[in-house]
Structures are given as structure tokens and as C-alpha cells.
Amino acid sequence: RGHQGPANSSYRLPKGKMPTKYLHAIDVDNNHANSIADAIASQASFVGRILALGPKIVNDEWIDNAVTRYAQFLELAKLHPNKTIVPTLDVDLIWHAHMLTPLDYRDDCINMLGKVLSHDAQMGEGEIATAFEQTKERWHQAYGTPMVWREQQKTANKKKKEENTTA
């Protein structure tokens, strides 16, 4: 079985329980600690979703396709510089891998986009969902294909049905 993510993804530090033993060099209040806890939970959820796919899905072909789609994602960000562009899971994995070399990431983003592309996932679920729907629309307009594979399957199945009923 794959990793199922954190048992409690909405962890909050109790008031007055800031681990100052480790963070004494930084002026951190409980809100910052909660933001850190949220970010950790988010990353655990992301890793769990990747691991749940397993090696039968995440293979060389899948990764090659994800790299190509990440390049398209960056181009989309360039075409819509003031919009929130939300990635699919495959694109997000490559984005995370790219950010593992921060100086290269910075330089690549500045060369391609004129700025560093922020990966700030600290948005509300509704805000992310709306931005993702808008991203899918922009993707389809830019590339003529659905951004999400399931939607590609639905479109292909719909076309097959239409062809079979008109034949």
C-alpha cells in the first residue's frame, strides 16, 4: 500500500507551545508556526498522492510527458503573467523537482518569464479550484487539448460515440 498522507492534516500548535528550543533564532509567533505546519501537511499530502500512483503509472514515459507538460505550463504562465496558474499532479511533481536546484530555478524562471514563478499553495480550496478551472480553460485555448487526462478520455469517448451514431 502507498503512503496515505498525514493522519491529521489540519494540525495546529496549541497556544504557548511554540517549539522555541528549535526556533529561538527566529522571531516566530504561533501564526507562523501554524503556516509551517500547514505547509508540511500540504507537502505530505502531495507526496502521498504521487506515491499512490505507483511505479506502473510513474514510469519513464509518464515522466517524459510530465516534463513536456511542465514546459507548456511555464509557457502558459508566461502568456498569463498576472494570473494564478494551477498545475496538475504530474506538472507539479516536475515543478517541485525543478525547485530543488534553487539557483537554476531562479535563473530559468527569470530567463523564461522575467520573474521567479511563485509556488505558493497557501490559498483557500475554493480559490484554488476556481484558478484550476481557469487554468484548464487557458490550457485548452493555448494547446487545443484538455489539460486533464480524464477530460481527454471523455472527449475521445464522446467523439467515438458521435462517429458511431452518425455512421
Side-chain angles (χ1 to χ4, degrees):
R1 290 178 65 136
H3 175 69
Q4 300 300 313
N8 179 1
S9 63
S10 61
Y11 174 77
R12 291 283 185 260
L13 286 173
K15 286 189 181 232
K17 298 294 181 183
M18 170 53 75
T20 54
K21 170 176 155 183
Y22 303 107
L23 301 173
H24 67 278
I26 308 171
D27 182 20
V28 178
D29 61 23
N30 206 22
N31 288 335
H32 286 104
N34 288 334
S35 294
I36 292 168
D38 287 346
I40 290 168
S42 174
Q43 290 306 304
S45 173
F46 169 74
V47 169
R49 291 187 348 245
I50 293 292
L51 292 175
L53 293 174
K56 289 184 180 177
I57 293 175
V58 182
N59 55 31
D60 289 346
E61 181 182 348
W62 188 89
I63 291 170
D64 287 345
N65 189 46
V67 169
T68 299
R69 287 168 44 84
Y70 176 62
Q72 292 175 301
F73 178 80
L74 291 175
E75 183 61 30
L76 201 62
K78 182 178 181 179
L79 293 171
H80 302 280
N82 298 317
K83 302 293 182 188
T84 299
I85 307 295
V86 180
T88 53
L89 187 60
D90 62 328
V91 170
D92 203 21
L93 176 64
I94 304 306
W95 193 359
H96 281 249
H98 192 191
M99 289 186 296
L100 289 174
T101 53
L103 297 178
D104 289 339
Y105 179 73
R106 180 199 63 202
D107 293 346
D108 291 343
C109 284
I110 289 171
N111 287 334
M112 289 184 275
L113 309 172
K115 66 178 185 177
V116 175
L117 186 60
S118 173
H119 189 288
D120 182 8
Q122 300 301 314
M123 298 167 59
E125 286 183 32
E127 202 175 354
I128 291 173
T130 298
F132 185 63
E133 290 302 316
Q134 293 168 345
T135 300
K136 290 191 305 184
E137 290 171 18
R138 290 182 183 107
W139 183 284
H140 191 266
Q141 290 170 353
Y143 304 115
T145 61
M147 182 178 174
V148 178
W149 184 82
R150 275 183 244 112
E151 291 176 9
Q152 287 176 319
Q153 282 299 108
K154 287 178 190 175
T155 302
N157 291 340
K158 185 178 177 182
K159 283 183 182 179
K160 277 185 180 178
K161 284 181 184 179
E162 288 172 0
E163 289 170 1
N164 290 337
T165 58
T166 58

